[in-house]
Structures are given as structure tokens and as C-alpha cells.
Amino acid sequence: MKTHGAGTLRAADVGTEVTLAGWVGRRRDHGGVVFVDLRDASGIVQVVLNPDDAPASEQELSSLRMEYCISISGLVHLRPDDMANPELPTGEVEVVANTMTVLSPSETLPFQIDDRIEVDEARRLQYRYLDLRRPSMTENLRARSKVIRAMRNVMDDLGFMEVETPTLIASTPEGARDMLVPSRLRKGNFYALPQSPQLFKQLLMIGGVERYYQVARCYRDEDLRADRQLEFTQLDFEGSFWGQEDVLATLEAISTRVTKDLRGIDVDQPFPRLTWHQAMERYGTDKPDIRFDMQITDLSDVFAETGFKAFSGVLASGGSIRGINAGALGLSRSGLDGLSARAQELGAKGLVWMVTEDDGGFRSPVAKFLSETELEEISTASAAEPGDVVLIVADETQTVLEVLGQIRLEVGQPDGHDELAYLFVVDFPVFERNEDGDFVALHHPFTAPVDVREMSEDPGHAISKAYDLVLNGSELGSGSVRIHDPAVQAKVFETLGISDEDAERRFGWFLEALRYGTPPHAGFAIGIDRLVAILQNAPNIREVIPFPKTQTGADPLTGSPSRVDDDQLRELGVEVRPAVMAEWAVDEAAGD
RNA sequence: GGGGGCGUGGUGAAGUCUGGAGUUCACGCCGGCCUGUCAAGCCGGAGGUCGCGGGUUCAAAUCCCGUCGCUCCCGCCA
């Protein structure tokens, strides 16, 4: 039906007889000659419909409208002198049609197919099939495809085998909320959709696969965000007889290949590394954006003897005082005070700003409370140049780090849009405490501790063989060396407060598997949606997902999630709770 | 569960703070003119229950209360 892609035609094709098919992007009707920007998946080319060539009846030519699906045949011409369009890759040529057929007319669209117009996202999702015609969306889908292809190529080159794992699995209520699917054959029982293929890929290692990967759809029933959807896609991989370095080297191979294929950028290897502790101390987060420096400096020692009550009090109660040199922010007095307000909003008692004067002194509301020595030491410790703004927070150490880390992101200016700063964060703690003070696994409970004895004796400080891949301040994924020793696995469950019976009931099948010669193994999962979004400079992952959900988990196009017939529920042995039915009744009454 | 932003012809925006006739701009749509434009141009036209409900007022897009939707964030996301 077509011989060429519209966007592929170049000066070299001049003189070629082509048949094209696509959509009318723009129509410029001069009463006689009609120009059409013909758009297909490959791009756009100008088609000239001249009544003198009789490609169609004059009535048909004048009735062409935007987004009509048409096909044309004609000759590729070089455009007349001075009429090339440098904005288009095909701008040097045009196709002079000798036939034109309307394949499928279009009603007036609910919005225009135009990258320059920002349409309400609910409307875009309701008509996603039209939204996808926008060149930026076409490009995002293509980029996603390229990324996945690059990943598969690397994995194949490295000898990995793609294996599919089930998506109807047993629920293991731990971590995120499971998506549940009722079973008809076993009424009252439920499958869960996987949060990740974690345990299955470990079973594959026990099964002797050695090198596994999968482009895996994962599900987590938690609230949505710009970088979180209910379902998302990971490149999941695992290797036997592997340790941390093998995984990190593989991640470098994948990331550099993807970046090269998609953006043509050569990323330096090896990627920089920070320990989790270093990341927290220097950037106040476990996913630092290292496109700019602006590290957090500990100023507690500077104020050890201070007479400034706000600072001495914090130190006396075991907190710390830290600051960042935010550089020349060019903010007014009220702008600087705004930063203090922002710090309070983020949970700090306050924030002190100090503007460096030309003579090296400071202009600051608190300068008069600080000694000459203290001021000098602040200046030295933060390497402040004239004009630089030093921001200081004094509070509990964790609060100080979190607040400064966030302020850093808000005042920091990444140098270039195109810069891609990959980073490994390693040596994560094994456990963290939840709000009740109990230990919970920071990564997941199948993560190997660096030292089992240390883990038992001082779980709060134990380090695990877990690592993250970070890109421009976003967590792209996590991985770890897994536990292959059933005794260690039991120890971890014990520390987590999971009883033997509980562990047996929930993970017994897995604990048993570990007992049959489990190879040491390690792996990782990369969030593909997040990676593609960053590489495409997209503001959220919905832009790189063809049919995403809104923030309330709905699809405005198909109307999911939706209620189902009583018959369907009866077959499943499932009933909607009366309280929920009552809410429906209220909604319906309000709707009438 | 909590906090912020947004909701105005088909689309995007201004108008809302400080109440006074559905006012304005661009695109699209309909009709007309136009044979080299490229976000074509020119002329004319149609199109809106200002998300929804209630309140205050002589008068509400505008103020107040509630509610729904979208979005950003916190909690949550082993």
C-alpha cells in the first residue's frame, strides 16, 4: 500500500515514483494548489496536490481536512529555489501527487495533533490513540522500543537467557500492597500480580539457568506519582556464581549501550560510586543528583563553643549543624527568607542564610551573634567566594541532612540538559526501623548481609550487599547479592521478627529450595519507564507509557477499573462489602 | 490519610485578588476569496449552564461552604 515512509525522503530520492500513506497533518489550500503535510510513523513530507495534475476531483481536494487518512502516488521533486524548509528533515523535497485517495475521513478532533499545544492530560488519555499521533509521543514510543532492544542485545551478547516468569502468583504480604486476582477454580482464593519476579528468578538460579533476564511487568498497589504507576516495566536480571562487581559491570554495559544507542553519548566508565552513608552525609539522600556539586559540609565543630543559643542548644541535644554553599543565587532578602520558610515547611526548625561580602565577611540576620573566628571558619569550610550564599541548618542530624538535601535540589542548577550522571550507591544498611521501631528490610529480606555475625549483634548498623543505580537524582533500580544459605535466610527472618512458623507458612517452599545446592547469585532490576523518561527529558513516566493510568489509578479511555456483573462475582465466590455498596448508592444519588 | 496548584466556546489562555451584561486573544470548525505555501494569508460566521451543588448579594466566572476530576508533593512504594 506504500513504497516509502513519508519522513524518509531526501534529495537523493528525487525522480523516484513513490506511493505514500498517512495522515493530513496540515493542509494549506490556495484555492488551486493544495499543500498537505503528510505524516506517518516515519515523519512528515510536503505533498503538492495541483489540480492541473488532476490527482483527484477538485471537490475532493478542497474537502480534505486535518487527520484524514489518505494515500498518494507521485514523483519526488526537489523543491523550487528558496523554498526548502530547513525545519523538516524532508524539507529539501516534496512529492507532487498524480493520484490521491481518501482512505478514511476524520471527524473534527477533540484536540489538535500538535506538539506545541499542551492539552489537559485527562483529555489526552481519553483520546490516547490521537495523542500518540503527536510526533513527540511517537518519538517516545520509538525511544522506548530502542532502549528495550539495546538492553536485549546486551543481555544476549553477554549470554543471558530470556525466561518468562508467571504473573499469577502467591501473595506474600510484605513490602508494597499486592494487586489481587480472585480464583474461580478455587473460590475464595486469590492470586497476586508480582511486585517483581524476585523469588522466581532466584528459583531459576537454583534451577541452573545461571544467566537470566526478562523484560518484566511488575505491579504495586500503592499511590501513584510522576515516576510511579500501578504497573511498570523492569529489565530484571540475575546471575549465578556472581557477586556485586559482576552485576555493576553488567549495569555499566547496559547503561552505556542504551545511552549511546538513544542519545549518541559516550558515558564514562566506571560509574562513580558512593556508599549509602557517604550519599546521605554529602547529599542528604540515597539518590544524589551529582550533575552539580554543592555538597553538605558538617559545621558542628565550628560551633562547638558558640555563644549563639540556637546552635549551642542543638549541639547540646546531640544534633548537628551543617551547611551548603549554594553559590551566587542572586536572591533578594525576601527570596532568602523564603528559603528559611521552605526549610521549616520541610521539617527543620529554621535555616540561616549568609551572603558572602566582597571583603569575605557575611551579611546575615545572625552574623551579629557569631564570633569572628566562627565566621572565618564557616567561610573556609564552605569555600565561600564573594556573592556565594551559605545555607545552614541546625537540628537533629537526620532532619538536617534531609532538609539540606532537598533545598540543594531546589536551588541547584544542573549544568547542562544533556548531561547524564550515572552513579552507583552501594553498602546500603540491611535494616531500617519503621514507625513502631521494629526492624524492616531496607531492600528485601533475601538480600545478603556483608557479615552475618555483625547483623545479629548490631542489626541497626549492619551493611548489606545491596546497591542502587541512580541517574540524575532518580533511582533507576536496585539489586543485591542474595542469600543462598538457608541458615542466613532464617537469621534475617528472625531479626525481622518473622517467626519460624510464619516464615515456613509464607516462604517455606522457597526456604526448602535454598537447601538443594543453591549457587551464590546476585542480580538487579532497572526501571525501564524511569530510564526512558529521563533519556527523553519527559516530565513524568506517563509520557513514555502508551496507555498509563491517572493518579487515581483510572484509564479515562477504557473506563478501568470498572464494576462487574453480579454473575461474574458469584462465579468467583466474591462479594462487594455492604459498606462499599452503600457508598455506591450515595454516589448514584448525587449523580441523579 | 494529609498539603499545594488547576478546572472559562472543540483546544489553549486572559479575566477571578478588588462582584457589575459571557468580555478578549490564538488555534480549530463552517462559508467565501486566493495556484508556492509550510503554525499559509485575507474577509465573514457559528460555537460557552465559566467542572458540579449550595450559600451570601440588588447582582457571582469572581466572595463563602461542600463536592467531583486532573496534577505535584508528603505519608506509602520489602
Side-chain angles (χ1 to χ4, degrees), chain A residues 176-177 220-230 550-553:
Chain A
R177 214 174 272 118
R220 293 180 190 170
D221 190 5
E222 297 292 346
D223 286 359
L224 293 81
R225 289 276 198 288
D227 62 351
R228 277 160 38 185
Q229 282 273 306
L230 295 177
T550 66
Q551 197 162 34
T552 49

Side-chain angles (χ1 to χ4, degrees), chain A residues 477-493:
Chain A
S478 301
S480 62
V481 175
R482 324 297 184 187
I483 296 167
H484 66 280
D485 178 345
V488 174
Q489 187 65 70
K491 201 86 200 163
V492 169
F493 283 145

Side-chain angles (χ1 to χ4, degrees), chain A residues 456-478:
Chain A
S456 309
E457 288 168 2
D458 188 7
H461 291 96
I463 301 298
S464 69
K465 296 177 185 172
Y467 32 80
D468 274 9
L469 176 61
V470 174
L471 172 57
N472 293 1
S474 279
E475 180 197 318
L476 280 190
S478 301

